[in-house]
Structures are given as structure tokens and as C-alpha cells.
Amino acid sequence: MAELTGRERAELLFNHKKPDRIGLYEHFWGDTYKDWFEKGKIPEGTDFNIHFNYDVAMAGWFNYAGDLNYTPEVVAEDEDTITTKDQNYAILRRHKKHDTTPEHVDFTVNCREKWEELIKPNIFADPKRIGFESYGNAKKYAAENNKFFMWSGAHVFELMHPVCGHEHMLAAMIEDPEWVLDMCETYTKAMIGMWEILFDKEGAPDGMFIYEDMGFKNAPFMSPSMYRKFIMPSHKATFDYAHSISKDFKVMMHSCGFIEPLLPHIIESGIDGLQVIEVKAGMDLLRIYKNFGDKISLMGGIDVRALYSNDKKIIDAELEGKIPIVKEGFAYFLHSDHSIPKTVEYETYKYFVEKGLELGRY
């Protein structure tokens, strides 16, 4: 088969049809770019999407800050960290010397009353929350470079916990379920409204890439029954909207952590693909492929710890044990099981891509 464009390849993989090879995409921590540039491994400013010939391009990200008019303030700082109160009135500590998720210190919005007072009145389909220019430029870039273009951004679970924290949110599913349902409904209505505004002005993408980190190590954050009660109605409403755009429109969901018990219900809600399939959290690419690979496309599931080793033999074993199996479903995109940190050398990642695609040819 002749070499396909990224857009052609992704379209086939999302429809479980045989392409020339498996797909390719990746996420990187910000300090990885900086490290590879500073070491002269790759010219500064290099477009990784073009350099590695990824099949997908993404852009979007609505601004869901609880108060757009509030100026974030620094509440504490030391040599290694900085603690701020953000536009959700959440107090978060971040490391200065390396990229990581922020540490939860405290949340002003810890009950329904605070949500209704400080956040809910501001969450609606507001053009000020939409980056029209950046989306339009990215859409044009994807078209010019033959990439499958996906709007990307957070969904309801990933929008609630920055406001009130995981503990308050999850406890409220038991103690004040109406509050959680109200948050889900509020964000869902705003999300669909802003998609309509954006796509009417700039045109629709080929699909959506939704961020929902619903698991931690060896367990999801909630039971399947709680997923169905609280999160699934929002997923179904938004994914139904997405699929109404066109019969070929695709939705891929990202989730870190172990979410396998939720997966049958997430699939029922309407996803077309799953990413990132985190091995160190307990997810298993081969098991997911065996049980769900006929229903959804898969992206990820390659243990990034193999890349940490910078050892070709370890990387070979990881790839050779998985790619020849999952590629047979004609629906797999090569990707690590998280994001590439700066501990992975440029030469290692380049070898990973070349080896993975070699194994993934048809």
C-alpha cells in the first residue's frame, strides 16, 4: 500500500479499516522540549508534529476559570515551589524546577453554597472563553499538513475537581449528589454552547479529544454505578452532539489511571477511542484490546518506564510484546502510556518511534 497521509491513516484506524501502518501521536512534558533544545538534540522551535510525522493535530481548550476577572495571587513561595490562589479560588502548589501536576492545598469552593455563590453564575457559553484565533490557525495547519484535526479539552470530571478538589467532589456524590449533578449539567450546557459558537465561526474539526482523568492506581475514582449516575449523562449528551456533526466525526477520551471497570459504560456513552491506557496504574493494553478492541480504537498502553531506561533491548521487548498483536485490529495508534519526560533521551524516543512503526506496518 502507498504511504498515506496522517488524516487518511487516522480515518481508517478510527473505522477499524486496514491502513499502511499503525497510527502515531505523542504528548510531552514541557521541560522535555526545553531539555532537547538546550542539549542541541533538535533545533529550538522544531515542530514535533512535523518532525516525527504524527497523524493527529489538536487544539481547542475553552477557559473554564470560575472567575475570569479574578487575578491569581501568590500566597507562598520558596526555592522549589510556588503556591497560588487561582481563578477557581483553589490554592495549589507547583514545583518550579520540573513539570508535574499541582499539589492540592485547599479549596474555597468546598460545598454547594460556595459553588452557587462563586462559580456557577459565571459558567455559561461565553465567547470570551473561546480561543477562536488559535483554533482557526491550528485547523488551517492541520489541513495544510494533512493531519486528522481534533478539538481537545477537558470534560466534566476534569472540570469539577480543579474547582472543589477530588475529595469534596467524590464525597459529595454520596453526601450532596444534587450538587455534583448541578456541576455536571452546568458544564455540559456551557461546553455544547461553546462548541456551537466556535464551530459555527471557524468550522468543525474531524473529531474531539476529551480529557477525563477518572482513575488512580488500580481503581477508578468512582464505582460504575456512580459513573452512570453522575458522569455518563454528560458524556452521552456531549458525545451525541459530537456525532451529530457528521457520521464520520470521532471522539477519543484520555484518562490516566485505572478505569477498566468503567470502560463498558464509557463505551456505551459513545466514545470511539481510548487513550492513554496507563500501565503503571494497572491498565493492560493487551487485555483492553482483547475485551474492547473491536468496539473502540486505542492509543497508548506502551509503558513509558521502558523509555526511561534508555535501553533499546527493554524498549524492543515492550514493543515486540504488544504491537504485533494490537495492530491486527486496524485501530491502534502508537503512544506512550503517559507523556514523555526529559529523562527520556531524544535518541531513545526517535528509536521508539522507528521501531514501533516498523513493527506496525501492514
Side-chain angles (χ1 to χ4, degrees), residues 6-280:
R7 191 173 192 277
E8 291 169 336
R9 187 176 297 112
E11 286 177 344
L12 289 172
L13 291 166
F14 272 119
N15 288 288
H16 300 253
K17 296 180 180 179
K18 186 177 180 179
D20 55 337
R21 62 159 171 82
I22 59 174
L24 178 65
Y25 192 61
E26 191 57 74
H27 289 77
F28 296 83
W29 289 105
D31 54 9
T32 306
Y33 296 100
K34 182 180 178 182
D35 184 71
W36 290 359
F37 292 155
E38 288 180 348
K39 290 179 178 176
K41 300 295 184 178
I42 188 169
E44 187 164 358
T46 295
D47 183 339
F48 278 32
N49 198 304
I50 300 299
H51 183 75
F52 292 112
N53 194 26
Y54 294 146
D55 298 309
V56 177
M58 300 182 187
W61 285 98
F62 299 144
N63 183 349
Y64 285 99
D67 185 352
L68 290 172
N69 297 317
Y70 177 78
T71 302
E73 57 181 299
V74 176
V75 297
E77 186 171 6
D78 57 32
E79 182 179 348
D80 297 316
T81 66
I82 183 167
T83 303
T84 59
K85 178 183 281 190
D86 67 14
Q87 290 180 304
N88 291 318
Y89 309 107
I91 300 176
L92 306 173
R93 183 181 294 118
R94 291 177 169 85
H95 286 275
K96 294 179 178 179
K97 298 179 180 178
H98 60 275
D99 285 341
T100 184
T101 53
E103 177 186 351
H104 293 184
V105 177
D106 199 9
F107 293 89
T108 303
V109 180
N110 56 16
C111 62
R112 191 198 311 198
E113 290 74 22
K114 289 294 185 181
W115 155 257
E116 291 176 346
E117 174 191 353
L118 297 173
I119 307 296
K120 182 179 179 179
N122 303 320
I123 304 300
F124 54 89
D126 187 345
K128 293 196 297 290
R129 296 180 178 275
I130 303 172
F132 293 99
E133 183 177 359
S134 61
Y135 172 89
N137 289 340
K139 187 172 185 292
K140 180 181 178 182
Y141 163 93
E144 291 174 346
N145 291 282
N146 294 307
K147 309 291 183 182
F148 190 89
F149 181 55
M150 306 187 84
W151 179 93
S152 65
H155 212 288
V156 291
F157 189 90
E158 203 67 14
L159 293 172
M160 291 187 291
H161 73 72
V163 171
C164 58
H166 285 89
E167 291 185 35
H168 296 303
M169 175 181 63
L170 296 171
M173 289 182 178
I174 298 172
E175 297 172 353
D176 192 356
E178 294 304 317
W179 174 29
V180 180
L181 288 170
D182 185 46
M183 287 194 288
C184 289
E185 291 168 4
T186 300
Y187 284 119
T188 299
K189 183 177 179 180
M191 190 180 305
I192 293 175
M194 288 191 284
W195 280 335
E196 291 174 336
I197 293 169
L198 175 62
F199 300 161
D200 181 64
K201 182 175 181 180
E202 300 290 345
D206 300 311
M208 293 177 182
F209 190 94
I210 302 297
Y211 289 84
E212 287 282 60
D213 286 348
M214 294 186 291
F216 54 107
K217 190 172 183 178
N218 298 325
F221 279 115
M222 74 205 91
S223 67
S225 63
M226 284 192 164
Y227 169 80
R228 294 188 70 90
K229 179 176 180 178
F230 294 104
I231 309 300
M232 187 174 176
S234 292
H235 283 173
K236 191 171 189 316
T238 52
F239 302 160
D240 283 351
Y241 164 77
H243 290 131
S244 74
I245 293 172
S246 79
K247 64 181 179 62
D248 298 318
F249 200 92
K250 303 299 179 184
V251 176
M252 177 164 276
M253 177 182 288
H254 160 94
S255 182
C256 292
F258 186 80
I259 61 160
E260 192 168 350
L262 307 181
L263 198 47
H265 313 283
I266 297 171
I267 291 172
E268 184 183 342
S269 75
I271 65 166
D272 301 291
L274 177 69
Q275 190 265 4
V276 64
I277 315 172
E278 191 175 5
V279 179
K280 53 191 171 293

